[in-house]
Amino acid sequence: MLPIEVFSLEEADICTKNHIKNVAKHYKEYEYDLYLLRQDHINLLKKKGFISFFKHKDAVINYYSGSISLSEFMTSIEVTSDEITKEISSIKPYRKRLISEYNISRNGNIKKQNKHNFKQDMALKYDNDFDFRLIPRKFKQAPNELDTEDLKKILLFISNKIFDEEKSAESLNITTHYTIIECTGEKNIMERSNSPEGIHQDGMDYIVSALVMERVNIIGGESKIYIKNKDREIFKAQLQSGYGILQKDKGTDIWHEVTPIEVLEGNQYGYRSTMGFDIEVIN
């Protein structure tokens, strides 16, 4: 296996159209990522000079994790400006998601896990700025109806490639992320991206950064991969439906991001739907 490998659902003996149709049936069950909404609030306040992560770290963590309300957060950092409060209130959530976790043994046995918190303890940002992903988050579990034969094929397809590389691995823990990034024709204060942290690593042994389900009425959403530094771009692609990227992550010189999306001219709403996979090797 190469450090970076583009693959398709067809390679896993999956009908792309049918798989996407089944996933799309459950879009209404996705929930808005309120952690990202609060992150956008915090970043706007930082950009405007109202807070610093060093001085207000405890308040930032408490607000991001949902332990305190927006009004309590604003009080704790002593911000009373009506103008900035109005600007923050205009920021709308735009990422919806579900999550599920599995353990896959070398002999192909798949066991669903029921974890309560999602953590990325080893995540890294290229700019070394404060990384919200180090804070534990809890997302809605994907319904059992998404545990389809197609999903099993995807998990085994990915697992077999990694087991071929990792000869001593006994099993893999795989977290599956179902994500929708929405955008509208209205002017948005914050960019609409599935990598708000910018160029980064996820802190996992392997990742599928994006397996694209749908691109509807949008431009942008290019997957980019870098080696060693952000000036050495080694891969760029606007992945289409049914295509994904499997790559090594933790402990490598490989970094990645996806560019923001915007509504295609003449439309009022668009979205990019993906599946992502975080993979931990268990020796």
Side-chain angles (χ1 to χ4, degrees), residues 38-54:
R38 293 189 286 264
Q39 180 178 328
D40 283 344
H41 293 167
I42 294 164
N43 283 335
L44 179 62
L45 287 164
K46 180 176 181 289
K47 181 179 179 181
K48 298 283 187 178
F50 287 100
I51 61 171
S52 74
F53 291 139
F54 177 78

Side-chain angles (χ1 to χ4, degrees), residues 40-213:
D40 283 344
H41 293 167
I42 294 164
N43 283 335
L44 179 62
L45 287 164
K46 180 176 181 289
K47 181 179 179 181
K48 298 283 187 178
F50 287 100
I51 61 171
S52 74
F53 291 139
F54 177 78
K55 181 180 178 181
H56 302 101
K57 183 177 179 181
D58 288 343
V60 165
I61 291 174
N62 286 334
Y63 179 58
Y64 177 79
S65 63
S67 300
I68 60 175
S69 68
L70 175 58
S71 61
E72 290 170 327
F73 176 55
M74 298 291 275
T75 299
S76 69
I77 60 175
E78 300 178 338
V79 173
T80 58
S81 165
D82 290 337
E83 183 179 343
I84 191 65
T85 300
K86 183 178 179 180
E87 198 168 355
I88 286 174
S89 298
S90 71
I91 299 174
K92 305 301 181 185
Y94 65 85
R95 179 163 72 182
K96 292 181 174 181
R97 63 193 305 170
L98 297 170
I99 195 171
S100 56
E101 298 98 357
Y102 308 87
N103 176 266
I104 295 89
S105 65
R106 183 173 282 275
N107 65 8
N109 184 50
I110 300 174
K111 183 178 181 182
K112 193 167 187 177
Q113 310 288 301
N114 289 307
K115 297 180 181 177
H116 296 290
N117 288 326
F118 173 65
K119 296 193 295 181
Q120 290 176 292
D121 295 337
M122 303 298 289
L124 295 172
K125 290 181 63 178
Y126 185 80
D127 61 11
N128 286 322
D129 201 356
F130 185 86
D131 196 335
F132 292 92
R133 296 173 301 158
L134 301 177
I135 303 170
R137 294 167 287 171
K138 185 175 183 179
F139 298 115
K140 181 180 178 180
Q141 293 286 315
N144 291 333
E145 288 79 8
L146 282 171
D147 292 331
T148 61
E149 287 301 315
D150 281 348
L151 177 63
K152 292 178 183 178
K153 286 182 179 181
I154 295 171
L155 293 174
L156 291 175
F157 177 80
I158 294 169
S159 298
N160 289 337
K161 286 184 175 293
I162 296 173
F163 282 132
D164 285 345
E165 184 81 8
E166 303 286 342
K167 303 300 182 184
S168 62
E170 294 181 358
S171 66
L172 305 173
N173 285 336
I174 300 183
T175 301
T176 303
H177 303 272
Y178 297 89
T179 307
I180 298 173
I181 303 296
E182 299 179 319
C183 57
T184 67
E186 300 174 2
K187 183 178 179 181
N188 299 306
I189 297 176
M190 312 303 288
E191 292 182 331
R192 303 295 177 97
S193 171
N194 202 28
S195 61
E197 53 280 332
I199 300 173
H200 66 283
Q201 293 181 344
D202 291 311
M204 301 294 174
D205 295 311
Y206 294 82
I207 60 169
V208 173
S209 55
L211 171 57
V212 175
M213 298 291 99

